Amino acid sequence: MFSVFVPSDSSLKKAVVEDLAAVPEHAVWIDLVNPTAAEDKAVERLSGIAIPTREDMQEIEISSRLYIENGARYMTATLMCHSDTDMPRTTAVTFILGDHRLVTVRYDQPKPFALVEAKLARSCTPAITGEMVLMELLDAVIDRCADILERCGAEIDQVSHDIFEPESERHGHAKQYSQILISIGRKGDLTSKVRESLVSIGRVVAFLSAVVEGVKWSKDMREQLKTMQRDVVSLTDHASYLSSKITFVLDAMLGVVNLEQNNIIKLFSVMAVVLMPPTLIASIYGMNFKAMPELEWAHGYPYALVLMLIAAIVPYWIFKWKKWL
């Protein structure tokens, strides 16, 4: 079962078919989602092109992702999926362009596909071709990456504020450093996946720009390709900037944690030094030797308490005077 899209007067109609005979000859877009071997064979007979397997789509070398075979252009890109959840991931999607018909092969649900389907279902030119649908899909993918980077940048700014907030706002409550570290890790993972997707899309756009020289594409579509190339380059640079900022925020977070730990250790050290003289005095008069004249003093006990109190206050006052606390 797969989806076909057929142009009408002002929109692109979607139909889910199970029989190859039900596929109209003038279909401009065939969308294969989790296709079976039989569906692959059916589309191959209809369009006269070979459908790559899922294993072929996972290949990372450029020659296996971008090539021309029997007049059809094969382009495999890595797209973002489930970026709004805590478990974003990437998926390989193959675009096959031949004879003004677009065939897409995917095994997940990237959001740009649903957005383009809804947009073309509302309005499109009756003379729409597979090339135009491909341009819409690539444009939607780039816009989606831009939206993810914008959201990620805003969230990184919030994390940075949480780390560097004024001391008066931090005082009185325990900061959830573990949650901040988890948030930083997730933002770093999401940013790296978006950058991977942008690099992949950039290669597809560059490939199209190279092969379009021998194809009669309109001037508007050529200009749109150039605009996409500029957008991909700028977004890739922005993703690299966000990655550097995440690294800085992570280093700052670890530095703040180290400072907090040092303050705790310093507090224990001060307390140990403050309590050491009173402990020494109490230890001396707790030895219970017979030849200890102070044991016969009538007021020896209060004198010892006062002496221990003074011995505790003096080191504390010295620490405060030296501004070590």
Side-chain angles (χ1 to χ4, degrees):
M1 185 169 60
F2 45 88
S3 302
V4 296
F5 296 82
V6 182
S8 62
D9 293 338
S10 61
S11 64
L12 201 65
K13 292 184 178 180
K14 175 182 178 181
V16 179
V17 299
E18 298 182 5
D19 186 11
L20 179 62
V23 178
E25 288 292 336
H26 57 290
V28 298
W29 179 16
I30 301 176
D31 187 25
L32 297 171
V33 183
N34 295 312
T36 63
E39 291 172 349
D40 285 344
K41 295 297 182 182
V43 175
E44 287 176 359
R45 290 195 301 269
L46 172 69
S47 57
I49 58 177
I51 304 298
T53 63
R54 190 169 190 176
E55 290 74 19
D56 294 335
M57 294 169 60
Q58 300 296 331
E59 298 289 342
I60 61 174
E61 57 266 36
I62 300 299
S63 59
S64 298
R65 288 191 157 221
L66 305 171
Y67 59 94
I68 299 176
E69 184 178 287
N70 296 329
R73 283 150 283 176
Y74 289 75
M75 297 156 285
T76 300
T78 301
L79 306 186
M80 287 291 305
C81 286
H82 309 285
S83 59
D84 298 327
T85 66
D86 293 335
M87 296 296 292
R89 61 174 182 262
T90 57
T91 183
V93 177
T94 297
F95 304 90
I96 308 172
L97 196 60
D99 196 22
H100 302 294
R101 176 184 289 149
L102 175 66
V103 178
T104 54
V105 185
R106 55 193 174 101
Y107 292 86
D108 215 318
Q109 300 291 339
K111 193 171 183 179
F113 277 77
L115 296 176
V116 171
E117 288 180 14
K119 177 182 178 181
L120 296 180
R122 291 192 303 268
S123 62
C124 72
T125 174
I128 190 170
T129 61
E131 289 86 351
M132 296 179 183
V133 176
L134 176 61
M135 299 297 285
E136 291 287 348
L137 286 172
L138 293 178
D139 191 48
V141 169
I142 295 173
D143 288 343
R144 179 62 177 165
C145 290
D147 294 340
I148 296 173
L149 289 178
E150 288 177 5
R151 188 186 78 233
C152 192
E155 292 174 353
I156 293 172
D157 289 338
Q158 182 59 47
V159 170
S160 178
H161 172 74
D162 293 339
I163 295 174
F164 298 108
E165 64 183 358
E167 185 69 25
S168 58
E169 296 183 15
R170 288 204 305 242
H171 183 70
H173 70 280
K175 290 181 64 63
Q176 300 296 324
Y177 291 131
S178 60
Q179 294 298 323
I180 293 179
L181 286 173
I182 291 174
S183 179
I184 293 174
R186 287 175 176 171
K187 301 301 175 293
D189 179 61
L190 179 61
T191 303
S192 65
K193 284 182 169 60
V194 173
R195 192 176 187 281
E196 177 187 2
S197 179
L198 285 170
V199 170
S200 178
I201 290 298
R203 290 170 178 169
V204 170
V205 175
F207 176 77
L208 277 176
S209 299
V211 301
V212 77
E213 300 301 330
V215 182
K216 295 181 179 180
W217 281 25
S218 65
K219 182 179 179 180
D220 292 340
M221 294 178 67
R222 294 173 185 268
E223 291 298 325
Q224 188 177 2
L225 272 177
K226 294 180 181 179
T227 302
M228 287 181 183
Q229 283 184 301
R230 291 193 296 267
D231 290 343
V232 168
V233 170
S234 63
L235 290 175
T236 303
D237 292 340
H238 187 65
S240 300
Y241 158 74
L242 288 180
S243 297
S244 300
K245 187 173 183 180
I246 290 172
T247 302
F248 165 74
V249 171
L250 178 60
D251 292 340
M253 181 69 235
L254 296 177
V256 170
V257 171
N258 288 332
L259 287 176
E260 293 287 344
Q261 291 177 342
N262 291 338
N263 289 334
I264 294 173
I265 293 174
K266 182 172 68 175
L267 178 61
F268 279 111
S269 301
V270 170
M271 293 301 297
V273 172
V274 169
L275 294 176
M276 189 180 299
T279 303
L280 177 62
I281 296 172
S283 299
I284 291 175
Y285 291 108
M287 290 187 292
N288 295 326
F289 290 112
K290 283 187 176 182
M292 293 183 68
E294 293 89 345
L295 294 178
E296 303 297 330
W297 289 357
H299 301 289
Y301 176 68
Y303 287 159
L305 291 179
V306 172
L307 182 60
M308 286 188 288
L309 182 62
I310 293 174
I313 292 176
V314 170
Y316 179 78
W317 179 81
I318 293 175
F319 284 142
K320 292 290 288 185
W321 178 58
K322 291 287 188 179
K323 296 182 179 180
W324 291 347
L325 293 177

